[in-house]
Amino acid sequence: MTDYIRLDKALSNMGAASRKEVKEAVKKGKILVNGIPAKSSDIKITAADELIINGILLKYKKYEYYMLNKPAGVISATTDSKEQTVTDLISGKRKDLFPVGRLDKDTVGLLIITNDGALAHDLLSPVKHVKKTYFVRVEGRIQTETENIFSAGIRIGSEQFQPAELVILKNDEVSEAEITIYEGKFHQIKRMFEAVGNRVIFLKRLSMGNLRLDDSLPEGDYRELSEEELQQLKYRQ
């Protein structure tokens, strides 16, 4: 089934022009659809159509998918009156982009930015149990029994956490580990470690589902997902 969208809405979503600007550009003959001047701003187009606006070639995409290496100090939101948001980092962004889930302000690493609500719901749904792996650095030594405590599913107060996988990488005054969780409760990893006597001092998401953060992507940078990476997200084993 072909998905149609109004020309003005498509260009507005893509951040190419406001609906008012599209209407004015159409009147002046500055928007071409497949080489033909658009007759009105509300004509229907598809992803197969070629658009030229003010001499610039565009290709409408219904969905866009980005891998962002989130830096510290940026919040996982679309807009904020005081703080810089993760979508602010996407230059020339379309207006309907949003982060899939959230990372705490001081947490870094993999964050997916998209406008595909169905995929986001699938990745975040508690019943899907999508795995998320983090690198964590904590104060103090991690007791060996912590692996068993986490794998059994730790209980904190009245809240029960699902089983998690812990791999200790370094055990010293400052210890390092990788932890894989299958849910995304508020401050979950920090609370889990605090419950066993370790304070988290650094947290980085390494992967979500089968998608792993590109090691060559600097903090604060982003890129579009490849088709292979997108399939890794959509079809998980």
Side-chain angles (χ1 to χ4, degrees):
M1 181 177 177
T2 304
D3 290 312
Y4 293 92
I5 186 172
R6 285 173 50 133
L7 174 65
D8 54 0
K9 183 177 180 181
L11 291 173
S12 177
N13 284 350
M14 293 169 68
S18 67
R19 294 197 184 195
K20 182 178 179 181
E21 290 170 338
V22 172
K23 193 171 185 178
E24 290 300 317
V26 166
K27 287 181 180 179
K28 296 176 182 179
K30 292 186 176 182
I31 297 183
L32 307 181
V33 180
N34 299 323
I36 301 172
K39 294 181 179 180
S40 68
S41 62
D42 61 356
I43 63 171
K44 299 295 179 64
I45 65 166
T46 72
D49 292 320
E50 181 182 272
L51 309 177
I52 296 178
I53 177 169
N54 296 323
I56 300 174
L57 176 65
L58 299 173
K59 192 75 175 178
Y60 171 69
K61 293 181 181 179
K62 182 177 181 181
Y63 297 123
E64 293 183 10
Y65 307 89
Y66 297 96
M67 172 190 293
L68 170 69
N69 188 354
K70 178 190 172 298
V74 179
I75 64 171
S76 298
T78 54
T79 58
D80 191 273
S81 60
K82 298 180 180 179
E83 305 275 4
Q84 184 180 34
T85 72
V86 291
T87 55
D88 289 336
L89 300 176
I90 311 294
S91 62
K93 68 180 182 190
R94 54 190 297 162
K95 295 180 179 179
D96 53 355
L97 292 176
F98 59 86
V100 178
R102 65 184 301 277
L103 294 177
D104 294 339
K105 185 176 179 179
D106 59 346
T107 299
V108 303
L110 175 64
L111 192 62
I112 300 161
I113 309 290
T114 186
N115 62 324
D116 187 342
L119 177 62
H121 179 269
D122 187 50
L123 291 171
L124 298 174
S125 173
V127 300
K128 298 292 184 178
H129 304 298
V130 176
K131 65 180 181 180
K132 295 170 279 288
T133 299
Y134 296 76
F135 170 81
V136 60
R137 188 175 292 127
V138 302
E139 290 181 345
R141 298 182 64 85
I142 302 173
Q143 301 301 314
T144 53
E145 61 264 28
T146 299
E147 293 179 335
N148 293 330
I149 293 171
F150 285 1
S151 66
I154 189 172
R155 188 174 187 84
I156 303 175
S158 61
E159 194 167 13
Q160 179 68 48
F161 291 88
Q162 293 178 9
E165 300 160 18
L166 178 67
V167 177
I168 300 173
L169 304 175
K170 174 186 174 184
N171 231 349
D172 211 326
E173 291 182 4
V174 174
S175 300
E176 297 176 352
E178 284 191 6
I179 181 170
T180 299
I181 60 175
Y182 296 84
E183 54 190 342
K185 294 181 177 178
F186 183 67
H187 292 324
Q188 178 173 345
I189 293 176
K190 294 176 181 177
R191 292 165 63 199
M192 289 172 65
F193 274 101
E194 184 178 336
V196 294
N198 298 106
R199 187 175 76 87
V200 172
I201 56 178
F202 178 78
L203 188 60
K204 179 178 183 177
R205 183 190 282 166
L206 302 176
S207 64
M208 186 172 192
N210 293 325
L211 179 67
R212 191 167 181 87
L213 179 65
D214 185 342
D215 292 333
S216 68
L217 194 64
E219 279 189 19
D221 278 7
Y222 67 94
R223 65 167 174 78
E224 285 196 71
L225 292 184
S226 67
E227 186 58 34
E228 180 182 357
E229 289 171 331
L230 183 56
Q231 296 310 311
Q232 289 174 348
L233 274 181
K234 288 185 173 181
Y235 303 105
R236 302 178 300 278
Q237 300 297 323

